[in-house]
Amino acid sequence: MEPVIEMRDLTKRYGDQVAVDRVTLHVPPGEIFGFLGPNGAGKTTTILMLLGLSEPTSGWARICGLDPTRAPVKVKRISGYLPEAVGFYEDMTAIDNLRYVARLNGIQDSQARMRIAERLALVGLADEGKKRVGAYSRGMRQRLGIAEVLLKDPRVVFLDEPTVGLDPDGTQRMLEMIQSLSRERGITVFFSSHLLDQVQRISARVGIMLKGRLVAVGSIQELGQQSLGVGQERYTLEEVYMRYFRQGPMAAA
């Protein structure tokens, strides 16, 4: 199958600083891909280039065959992005916020009404739609962010630290929703996080970023055997990640 997300030698420099260093990666349709790394590793910069919000210094990327640099509007029509800090109009209700986003995306009001009701029900906010977002908890805001992402019926979604700051119940709800995007809707999920246990629970494969370089890609079992040997029946993502972390960016060489 054609990859939904594709990168080849994707690079971003800011003066003498290399934020993303020759990243090559393919993500197939419907996969939940865990994108790992410490703060400052280049994860968010990579996502911004994939969405056409930042231009690469060299290399290229494709989203469903589209070039984010040359066709950013087309890429945005088929993709959704949930940043770490979700922004809404605090004095507007959830429904009004989603209606505004729908209009920005050219969705007709009659269709938007149905989609908004369905998306709010999907994320467990059907009874909270008329409440002002300023009164929402962080978990409710994150769920509303998922509803917003799904308004466009995207083929791929990018989630940047979607569970940071959530309590255990909110985290569980968010992880279940992410899984349902892939399992029930066939959406490709690019899940950026540094919370290893959560990534292990839902991701088919992971990629590890260190200082701008993609040092490892594969299933946790594959990466465990590569980095720790074949003596274990099961590997944890923490074991695998820490081995690559200790080796540093040279692990990709």
Side-chain angles (χ1 to χ4, degrees):
M1 293 183 290
E2 290 289 330
V4 171
I5 301 171
E6 188 175 10
M7 296 171 255
R8 175 73 65 179
D9 292 328
L10 192 66
T11 301
K12 181 66 175 182
R13 294 187 180 91
Y14 297 98
D16 295 332
Q17 181 182 358
V18 181
V20 176
D21 189 5
R22 295 170 294 167
V23 170
T24 295
L25 176 66
H26 302 81
V27 180
E31 181 175 84
I32 299 177
F33 185 85
F35 199 46
L36 307 175
N39 292 333
K43 304 189 303 298
T44 298
T45 302
T46 300
I47 290 175
L48 294 178
M49 287 191 286
L50 292 174
L51 288 166
L53 298 173
S54 180
E55 188 171 338
T57 305
S58 60
W60 54 266
R62 298 289 185 273
I63 303 296
C64 299
L66 297 171
D67 184 340
T69 301
R70 297 185 177 183
V73 174
K74 290 182 179 179
V75 168
K76 291 178 179 64
R77 285 175 182 161
I78 60 171
S79 60
Y81 176 43
L82 184 69
E84 181 177 347
V86 187
F88 293 105
Y89 291 103
E90 302 278 314
D91 60 342
M92 291 169 55
T93 68
I95 290 174
D96 287 339
N97 269 280
L98 294 181
R99 186 181 294 122
Y100 177 69
V101 172
R103 288 172 177 169
L104 287 178
N105 284 279
I107 302 172
Q108 294 182 352
D109 287 348
S110 58
Q111 188 178 31
R113 282 194 296 272
M114 292 186 292
R115 288 195 189 186
I116 289 169
E118 193 269 340
R119 272 42 166 195
L120 286 175
L122 180 69
V123 301
L125 294 175
D127 296 329
E128 310 290 343
K130 295 182 180 180
K131 181 183 291 186
R132 291 186 178 183
V133 174
Y136 272 28
S137 67
R138 180 174 175 84
M140 293 170 69
R141 287 169 180 265
Q142 292 296 90
R143 283 187 277 152
L144 183 59
I146 293 289
E148 178 186 319
V149 162
L150 294 177
L151 274 181
K152 295 183 289 185
D153 284 331
R155 294 178 60 184
V156 54
V157 298
F158 297 89
L159 308 178
D160 196 355
E161 304 286 0
T163 62
V164 168
L166 300 186
D167 61 24
D169 179 64
T171 295
Q172 180 62 29
R173 283 172 175 256
M174 179 59 67
L175 294 178
E176 289 174 354
M177 278 190 286
I178 293 171
Q179 287 179 302
S180 73
L181 298 182
S182 169
R183 183 173 56 243
E184 298 172 15
R185 293 175 174 264
I187 296 173
T188 303
V189 179
F190 198 77
F191 176 30
S192 172
S193 180
H194 64 273
L195 300 174
L196 304 182
D197 60 324
Q198 296 176 14
V199 175
Q200 178 159 5
R201 286 166 60 185
I202 66 173
S203 299
R205 293 187 306 144
V206 300
I208 300 175
M209 287 281 285
L210 295 174
K211 295 184 178 180
R213 300 194 69 185
L214 186 64
V215 300
V217 178
S219 70
I220 296 169
Q221 192 69 13
E222 291 169 347
L223 297 183
Q225 291 176 354
Q226 292 171 15
S227 63
L228 299 169
V230 295
Q232 295 180 218
E233 293 184 4
R234 185 176 182 275
Y235 301 86
T236 69
L237 183 53
E238 183 176 2
E239 290 175 319
V240 173
Y241 177 83
M242 289 309 300
R243 175 57 64 93
Y244 281 102
F245 185 79
R246 293 188 187 102
Q247 292 175 344
M250 291 305 295

